[in-house]
Coordinates of all heavy atoms in Angstrom, one line a residue:
E1 N 9.6 9.3 -1.1 CA 10.4 10.4 -1.7 C 9.7 11.8 -1.5 O 10.4 12.8 -1.3 CB 10.6 10.2 -3.2 CG 11.5 9.0 -3.5 CD 11.5 8.7 -5.0 OE1 10.8 9.4 -5.7 OE2 12.3 7.8 -5.4
L2 N 8.4 11.8 -1.5 CA 7.6 13.0 -1.3 C 7.4 13.4 0.1 O 6.7 14.4 0.4 CB 6.3 12.9 -2.1 CG 6.3 12.8 -3.6 CD1 5.0 12.5 -4.2 CD2 6.9 14.1 -4.2
G3 N 7.9 12.6 1.0 CA 7.8 12.9 2.4 C 6.5 12.5 3.1 O 6.2 13.0 4.2
M4 N 5.7 11.7 2.4 CA 4.4 11.3 3.0 C 4.6 10.2 4.0 O 5.5 9.3 3.9 CB 3.5 10.8 1.8 CG 3.2 11.8 0.8 SD 2.2 11.2 -0.5 CE 2.0 12.7 -1.5
D5 N 3.9 10.3 5.1 CA 4.0 9.3 6.1 C 2.9 8.2 6.1 O 2.9 7.3 7.0 CB 4.1 9.9 7.5 CG 2.9 10.9 7.8 OD1 1.9 10.8 7.1 OD2 3.0 11.7 8.7
A6 N 2.0 8.3 5.2 CA 0.9 7.3 5.1 C 0.4 7.2 3.6 O 0.6 8.2 2.9 CB -0.2 7.6 6.0
L7 N -0.2 6.1 3.2 CA -0.7 6.0 1.9 C -1.8 4.9 1.9 O -1.7 3.9 2.6 CB 0.4 5.5 1.0 CG 0.1 5.3 -0.5 CD1 -0.2 6.6 -1.2 CD2 1.3 4.6 -1.2
A8 N -2.9 5.2 1.1 CA -4.0 4.2 1.0 C -3.9 3.5 -0.3 O -3.4 3.9 -1.3 CB -5.3 4.9 1.2
L9 N -4.6 2.3 -0.3 CA -4.8 1.5 -1.5 C -6.3 1.2 -1.6 O -6.9 0.7 -0.7 CB -4.0 0.2 -1.5 CG -4.2 -0.7 -2.7 CD1 -3.6 0.0 -4.0 CD2 -3.5 -2.0 -2.5
T10 N -6.9 1.7 -2.7 CA -8.3 1.5 -2.9 C -8.7 1.0 -4.3 O -9.2 1.7 -5.1 CB -9.1 2.9 -2.7 OG1 -8.6 3.9 -3.6 CG2 -8.9 3.3 -1.2
D11 N -8.3 -0.2 -4.6 CA -8.5 -0.8 -5.9 C -10.0 -1.0 -6.1 O -10.8 -1.2 -5.2 CB -7.7 -2.1 -6.1 CG -6.3 -1.8 -6.4 OD1 -6.0 -0.9 -7.2 OD2 -5.4 -2.5 -5.8
H12 N -10.4 -1.1 -7.4 CA -11.8 -1.3 -7.8 C -12.3 -2.7 -7.4 O -11.9 -3.7 -8.0 CB -12.0 -1.1 -9.3 CG -12.0 0.3 -9.7 ND1 -13.0 1.2 -9.2 CD2 -11.3 1.0 -10.6 CE1 -12.8 2.4 -9.8 NE2 -11.8 2.3 -10.6
G13 N -13.0 -2.8 -6.3 CA -13.8 -4.0 -6.0 C -12.9 -5.1 -5.4 O -13.5 -6.2 -5.1
V14 N -11.6 -5.0 -5.3 CA -10.8 -6.1 -4.9 C -9.7 -5.7 -3.9 O -9.4 -4.5 -3.7 CB -10.0 -6.7 -6.1 CG1 -11.0 -7.2 -7.2 CG2 -9.0 -5.7 -6.7
L15 N -9.2 -6.8 -3.2 CA -8.1 -6.6 -2.2 C -6.9 -7.3 -2.6 O -6.0 -7.7 -1.8 CB -8.6 -7.0 -0.8 CG -9.8 -6.3 -0.2 CD1 -10.3 -7.0 1.0 CD2 -9.5 -4.9 0.0
Y16 N -6.7 -7.6 -3.9 CA -5.6 -8.4 -4.4 C -4.3 -7.9 -4.0 O -3.3 -8.7 -3.7 CB -5.6 -8.5 -5.9 CG -6.9 -9.1 -6.5 CD1 -7.3 -8.8 -7.8 CD2 -7.7 -10.0 -5.9 CE1 -8.4 -9.3 -8.4 CE2 -8.8 -10.6 -6.4 CZ -9.2 -10.2 -7.7 OH -10.3 -10.7 -8.3
G17 N -4.1 -6.6 -4.0 CA -2.8 -6.0 -3.7 C -2.5 -5.7 -2.2 O -1.5 -5.2 -1.9
A18 N -3.5 -6.1 -1.3 CA -3.4 -5.6 0.1 C -2.1 -6.1 0.8 O -1.4 -5.3 1.5 CB -4.6 -6.1 0.8
V19 N -1.8 -7.4 0.7 CA -0.6 -7.9 1.4 C 0.7 -7.3 0.8 O 1.6 -6.8 1.6 CB -0.6 -9.4 1.3 CG1 0.7 -10.0 1.9 CG2 -1.8 -10.0 2.1
E20 N 0.8 -7.3 -0.5 CA 2.0 -6.7 -1.1 C 2.1 -5.2 -0.7 O 3.2 -4.8 -0.4 CB 1.9 -6.9 -2.6 CG 3.1 -6.3 -3.4 CD 2.9 -6.3 -4.9 OE1 1.9 -6.9 -5.4 OE2 3.8 -5.7 -5.6
F21 N 1.0 -4.5 -0.7 CA 1.0 -3.1 -0.4 C 1.4 -2.9 1.1 O 2.2 -2.0 1.4 CB -0.4 -2.5 -0.7 CG -0.6 -1.1 -0.2 CD1 0.0 -0.1 -0.9 CD2 -1.3 -0.8 0.9 CE1 -0.2 1.3 -0.5 CE2 -1.5 0.5 1.3 CZ -0.9 1.5 0.6
Y22 N 0.9 -3.7 2.0 CA 1.2 -3.6 3.4 C 2.7 -3.8 3.6 O 3.3 -3.0 4.3 CB 0.4 -4.6 4.2 CG 0.6 -4.6 5.7 CD1 -0.1 -3.8 6.5 CD2 1.6 -5.4 6.2 CE1 0.1 -3.7 7.9 CE2 1.8 -5.4 7.6 CZ 1.1 -4.5 8.4 OH 1.4 -4.5 9.7
L23 N 3.2 -4.8 3.0 CA 4.6 -5.1 3.2 C 5.5 -4.0 2.6 O 6.5 -3.6 3.2 CB 5.0 -6.5 2.6 CG 4.3 -7.7 3.3 CD1 4.6 -8.9 2.6 CD2 4.7 -7.8 4.8
A24 N 5.1 -3.5 1.4 CA 5.9 -2.5 0.8 C 5.9 -1.2 1.6 O 6.9 -0.5 1.7 CB 5.4 -2.2 -0.6
C25 N 4.8 -0.8 2.1 CA 4.7 0.4 3.0 C 5.5 0.2 4.2 O 6.2 1.2 4.6 CB 3.2 0.6 3.4 SG 2.2 1.3 2.1
R26 N 5.5 -0.9 4.8 CA 6.3 -1.1 6.0 C 7.8 -1.0 5.7 O 8.5 -0.4 6.5 CB 6.0 -2.5 6.7 CG 4.6 -2.6 7.2 CD 4.3 -1.7 8.4 NE 5.2 -2.0 9.5 CZ 4.8 -2.9 10.5 NH1 3.6 -3.5 10.5 NH2 5.7 -3.2 11.5
E27 N 8.2 -1.6 4.6 CA 9.6 -1.5 4.2 C 10.0 0.0 3.9 O 11.1 0.4 4.1 CB 9.8 -2.4 2.9 CG 11.2 -2.4 2.5 CD 11.5 -3.3 1.3 OE1 10.6 -4.1 1.0 OE2 12.6 -3.3 0.7
A28 N 9.0 0.7 3.3 CA 9.3 2.1 3.0 C 9.2 3.1 4.2 O 9.5 4.3 4.1 CB 8.4 2.6 1.9
G29 N 8.7 2.5 5.3 CA 8.6 3.3 6.5 C 7.4 4.2 6.5 O 7.4 5.3 7.2

């Protein structure tokens, strides 16, 4: 919505959200 074309995920010490985040970003373009 804010017109950003990239986004990072940097959770504390873990990669639990990586797959969900990757797929959500791809879906959002």
Side-chain angles (χ1 to χ4, degrees):
E1 291 171 359
L2 294 172
M4 297 178 178
D5 54 16
L7 181 66
L9 180 66
T10 57
D11 281 317
H12 280 302
V14 301
L15 299 172
Y16 300 152
V19 173
E20 180 185 353
F21 174 74
Y22 179 87
L23 295 175
C25 283
R26 294 295 295 270
E27 183 177 348

